[in-house]
Amino acid sequence: MFEIRKFLLLSLFLCSQVYANCEQPKSYGLLNETTLIDDLATLSSAKMSGRKTGSIGSVNARNFLQARFKKIGVANFPQRAEYIQTFPFPNNSANNQGFNIVGWLKGNTFADQFIVVTAHYDHLGAKGRHVYYGADDNASGVATLLAIAGKISELGLAHSVIFLATDAEEQGLYGAKAFIKNLPISKNNIKLNINLDMLCEGGRKNRLYATFTRADQQLANIVKNVADIAGLCFINGHRKNQRFDRFERKINWRKSSEHAAFAKAGIPYLFVGGGVHKRYHTPKDNFENIDKEFYVSAAETAWLLLQAADAYQVLN
Ligand SMILES: [Zn+2]
C-alpha cells in the first residue's frame, strides 16, 4: 500500500514537473498581442470568405497583406511588383493563377544569409452557404508571420529574413513550389525555412509540435532550447500517425505543408503547428472558436525559434 502511494505521489510530482506548461499556456508579452489578434480576426473575417485561391476573398486577403507588409516596412524584391509573385497552377476555375506575397528585412550581420518564414494564406473558401473561415488553418500562421516581421523591423536580427505568405497550398503546395522554382536570391544563401501552419489549437493534449529536417543536430538543439522556455507545451515531433477524419486517413507531417517544398530542394526546415483537431477543415474553424491563450503563446514560441536560429553564427 505504501509503495503504491509513494509511486503515485512520485509520478504526480514528475507529471507536474514535466508538463507544468502543458496545462495553461502563458505568454511573456514578446509580441504585439493586440495586432496579432486583430490580424487573425481580419484574415478570418467574412470579408475574406475563406481566402480560396482565385476568389474575391483571396483578393481581399492579398490587398490586406500588401498593406500590412508596407506598413511594417518589409522590403520588396526588385523583380516583384508590390510583393506579388504570380504563378500558374492547375485548377478548374477560370482564373488559373496563384499569388504569393513575398518581401524581406535585411540582417545586421549576415545580410546575404536568409531565413525564410512561410505561412500559407489560402484556405477552402465557401461551399454553398458554408464559409470555411480558416482561422486556425492558416490565418493563425500568417498573423504570426506579420507579428514577427513587425518585431524584426523594430529590433533587427543578424540574418536577413524573407517573409513568404503563400497561395494555393490547400491544392498541393503550389505557392511554395513556385517560390522555390523562381527564387529571388540564390538557393545557397537560404539557410533555413521556418513554416507556420495552424497555431491556434493544441488538441486534447494542449501541445504545439515541431518537425524538422531529419538528423539535423543544430535544429534539434534549437527546438530543445526553446521547448525549455516556451510558455506552452512544445514537443519535438508531431503525433505519429494522427488520423484526421472519419475515413481514418493519416497525415505525413513531413509532407503536409509548405516546408515539404523546401525539403525537396535540399533546404533545412523547421515546421511548427498544433496539428489537426475536430474543427479542422470545417466552417467551425473560425475566429470565435480559437484558443487565444494557446495562440498567443504559440506565436511567441515561433518568434523564440526564429531568434534561436538567428543566434547561430553559421546556420548549417
Ligand atoms: Zn494549412
Side-chain angles (χ1 to χ4, degrees), residues 2-315:
F2 175 73
E3 285 300 318
I4 294 169
R5 259 169 131 190
K6 199 164 84 178
F7 174 73
L8 272 176
L9 277 174
L10 183 66
S11 53
L12 276 175
F13 174 74
L14 283 175
C15 282
S16 65
Q17 290 297 300
V18 177
Y19 295 122
N21 52 2
C22 288
E23 276 135 33
Q24 198 56 47
K26 57 179 186 287
S27 55
Y28 303 109
L30 302 178
L31 296 171
N32 185 331
E33 194 177 317
T34 309
T35 312
L36 179 73
I37 298 294
D38 283 355
D39 285 347
L40 174 59
T42 304
L43 285 162
S44 54
S45 65
K47 192 180 171 193
M48 308 287 170
S49 58
R51 309 177 304 277
K52 185 172 182 178
T53 305
S55 69
I56 293 294
S58 173
V59 175
N60 290 334
R62 196 194 317 156
N63 291 340
F64 170 73
L65 289 172
Q66 284 174 296
R68 291 289 290 115
F69 270 35
K70 203 171 240 175
K71 187 164 181 215
I72 291 166
V74 172
N76 191 49
F77 285 107
Q79 58 272 55
R80 310 264 181 264
E82 299 282 311
Y83 309 112
I84 297 289
Q85 178 196 12
T86 56
F87 58 91
F89 78 104
N91 184 18
N92 293 330
S93 75
N95 185 356
N96 292 351
Q97 224 180 11
F99 296 81
N100 286 340
I101 321 291
V102 58
W104 69 295
L105 287 169
K106 193 173 180 179
N108 295 327
T109 315
F110 311 111
D112 62 346
Q113 292 190 38
F114 293 80
I115 299 172
V116 184
V117 178
T118 50
H120 75 88
Y121 73 91
D122 67 302
H123 192 53
L124 304 173
K127 293 172 189 168
R129 285 183 296 116
H130 300 291
V131 180
Y132 292 70
Y133 296 98
D136 184 32
D137 186 9
N138 181 33
S140 67
V142 180
T144 300
L145 176 148
L146 293 171
I148 287 174
K151 211 68 203 174
I152 297 172
S153 74
E154 280 171 31
L155 304 177
L157 284 182
H159 295 80
S160 292
V161 181
I162 292 176
F163 303 96
L164 172 64
T166 58
D167 197 4
E169 187 266 1
E170 301 282 10
Q171 288 94 339
L173 318 182
Y174 288 102
K177 288 174 186 167
F179 176 76
I180 295 286
K181 202 172 160 189
N182 194 2
L183 287 170
I185 54 161
S186 160
K187 192 174 92 175
N188 293 335
N189 291 359
I190 299 181
K191 299 298 160 186
L192 176 65
N193 165 230
I194 297 182
N195 183 35
L196 310 172
D197 199 352
M198 298 169 65
L199 302 178
C200 288
E201 296 221 19
R204 262 189 312 124
K205 294 190 170 168
N206 218 16
R207 289 173 173 176
L208 184 69
Y209 295 89
T211 293
F212 50 87
T213 309
R214 275 201 184 97
D216 188 318
Q217 199 48 49
Q218 206 172 48
L219 290 174
N221 290 341
I222 288 167
V223 168
K224 190 195 168 302
N225 292 341
V226 169
D228 287 345
I229 56 170
L232 45 57
C233 191
F234 182 47
I235 302 285
N236 173 356
H238 275 79
R239 279 165 283 182
K240 287 205 174 64
N241 299 328
Q242 190 184 9
R243 299 181 193 107
F244 82 93
D245 64 12
R246 65 184 187 283
F247 306 111
E248 308 221 327
R249 280 184 289 185
K250 290 174 181 171
I251 289 187
N252 180 345
W253 294 106
R254 295 193 178 275
K255 298 193 170 159
S256 64
S257 183
E258 309 298 43
H259 56 278
F262 286 82
K264 204 171 172 199
I267 298 166
Y269 71 88
L270 173 50
F271 164 46
V272 186
V276 295
H277 48 81
K278 62 179 188 290
R279 288 186 280 276
Y280 173 71
H281 283 197
T282 76
K284 286 186 176 160
D285 177 12
N286 60 26
F287 181 72
E288 287 67 39
N289 283 329
I290 67 155
D291 180 339
K292 291 194 184 63
E293 281 173 347
F294 184 91
Y295 176 52
V296 173
S297 190
E300 282 192 353
T301 304
W303 169 230
L304 289 171
L305 284 168
L306 178 55
Q307 287 175 292
D310 182 59
Y312 276 87
Q313 194 169 349
V314 181
L315 268 165

